[in-house]
Every structure is written in C-alpha cells, then in structure tokens.
Amino acid sequence: ELHEDFPTYFGDQQFFREQKFKFKDNGFNLFELRVNEHTGTHVDAPLHFTEDGQSVAEIPLANLICPLCVIDVKAKAAENADYQVTPDDVKAWIAANGPIPEGACVAMHSGWAAHVNSEKFRNADGEGIMHFPGFHVEAAKMLIEETGAMSIAVDTLSLDHGISADFATHYAWLPTNRYGIENLAGLDKVPASGATLVVGAPTHKGGSGGPARIFAMI
C-alpha cells in the first residue's frame, strides 16, 4: 500500500496528498496527489534510463500481461544483503522449471518485502550506502541474449543491488525496450513458474515509470 512514509531510494518523502473536499462538509471526498514516478510498487519504463526509449504509456499491452518466473534467492539474501541474482541462479531456475517463456517477467524473490515498514528495507549503513539485493548485470545480459524475457522485477528499491554506484543493470536492461518492476510484494505467495502477471502500469504521456497495481493469476 502506497503511503507518505513508504521507503524511497533517495530517502526523502515522494508521495504527498491533500484533501480538497471532505464528505462531512461537501458530500464527497477528493484528494489531490503529488507523487514521484518511482515510488512504491512501480514500473521502470525504458525511458527511465534512455533518451528516447518507450515511455510508460508506450509499453505494449502484450508485455504487461505475461508469464511470471520467480527466482528464489531468499536464503542467499539472508546471508548477504548485497547478493545479486547471477546467471547461475537463472540456469538453476531453467533446470528446475524449463525454458523461460517468451515475454516473461523474471522476478527476484529475496524476502526483502518483509522489511518494507522498517529501516531494514533501505538498510543504509553509517555512510548512507544502502545494502539490499538486486540483479547482477550479467544475469540481465543473459536474459536479454538467451531468452525472450521482457521484464525483470525485484522486491527491493532497485533492479541493481543497493551498493551499486553505476546502475549497470538498469543501463543494460532498459535501453533494450524492456521494463522493470521495483518494490514488488507477494512473491512468497506465487509458484516459481506457472502464474500470469498482470501489470497495471500508468499511462501518463512521456512518463519514465509510475506506481502500478500488479497482481498474479495462479
């Protein structure tokens, strides 16, 4: 659920609301919202890390309803907050579940969603450097070169792990007109394969991303 205190990558509040009308006074409720595109559960459109990639409104509908592949690295992330999904993790998933379907979303289940209402979600050290899992750039490149996956998803604040200084995975993935999902919840409730993901991406013109309501059909 998106709210004013939802953790953000930069640490500052990114969701604001002002009640313009109240039911007891006006007979209806209405809020005016101000929100950073990359807040809460949200989509990273290709335009986020490119000059002229697809905006969030331009992502094809066929790419927003897709097979879901869940790579479980929860145990590894519990031992190492800086863990990155590797090509070996992808190969292990394929060995257990078969080829990654065309157009799939490949999601990292690190267990980090359980920390969303605590400081552990950002997990910043004394120097302000965050520590949480993400996708290794080589895993992203493997998915690009060897599969038909169209999106990757994480249950953390970034496709790249928290200590990344170069956003290598963002720069490898998004310029191919594939998209990402960050702060995804509920990956502990879906199977490794077989579910269908429905991504309710926003459609504001020229957007680099935006909060989304995302659900899986099992």
Side-chain angles (χ1 to χ4, degrees):
E1 186 176 55
L2 183 57
H3 54 85
E4 286 86 345
D5 296 321
F6 198 99
T8 67
Y9 186 86
F10 296 108
D12 296 325
Q13 181 180 347
Q14 294 181 178
F15 174 76
F16 305 83
R17 60 180 170 174
E18 179 183 353
Q19 189 160 10
K20 294 292 187 176
F21 296 91
K22 296 182 180 181
F23 186 84
K24 67 177 182 180
D25 297 327
N26 311 107
F28 63 97
N29 290 308
L30 186 150
F31 292 84
E32 184 173 286
L33 307 180
R34 178 164 65 89
V35 59
N36 180 302
E37 291 176 312
H38 301 272
T39 307
T41 300
H42 69 274
V43 171
D44 277 8
L47 186 61
H48 186 35
F49 271 71
T50 63
E51 185 173 356
D52 56 1
Q54 292 171 348
S55 71
V56 69
E58 292 171 335
I59 298 173
L61 178 60
N63 293 347
L64 297 174
I65 303 174
C66 55
L68 175 63
C69 306
V70 181
I71 298 179
D72 190 338
V73 296
K74 183 177 179 180
K76 296 174 181 177
E79 294 182 358
N80 177 14
D82 298 321
Y83 189 77
Q84 299 179 82
V85 175
T86 66
D88 284 344
D89 291 320
V90 177
K91 292 175 183 176
W93 188 96
I94 293 171
N97 300 282
I100 291 174
E102 192 71 20
C105 174
V106 179
M108 174 192 76
H109 172 39
S110 71
W112 223 251
H115 306 311
V116 72
N117 291 316
S118 72
E119 292 295 323
K120 180 68 180 289
F121 198 66
R122 296 185 77 251
N123 203 26
D125 61 24
E127 297 179 355
I129 298 173
M130 293 179 290
H131 298 272
F132 53 74
F135 272 88
H136 194 285
V137 64
E138 293 303 325
K141 289 179 179 178
M142 177 186 176
L143 291 171
I144 292 167
E145 296 167 2
E146 301 181 23
T147 79
M150 289 304 299
S151 59
I152 55 176
V154 295
D155 52 2
T156 61
L157 282 164
S158 177
L159 304 179
D160 287 273
H161 65 334
I163 63 173
S164 172
D166 58 8
F167 298 101
T169 296
H170 278 83
Y171 279 114
W173 188 258
L174 297 178
T176 65
N177 267 344
R178 291 169 168 84
Y179 68 93
I181 302 169
E182 295 170 338
N183 300 321
L184 194 60
L187 289 172
D188 57 330
K189 298 179 174 65
V190 295
S193 65
T196 298
L197 197 69
V198 180
V199 182
T203 56
H204 55 291
K205 186 174 182 179
S208 72
R213 188 159 196 179
I214 300 173
F215 57 95
M217 297 186 295
I218 302 173

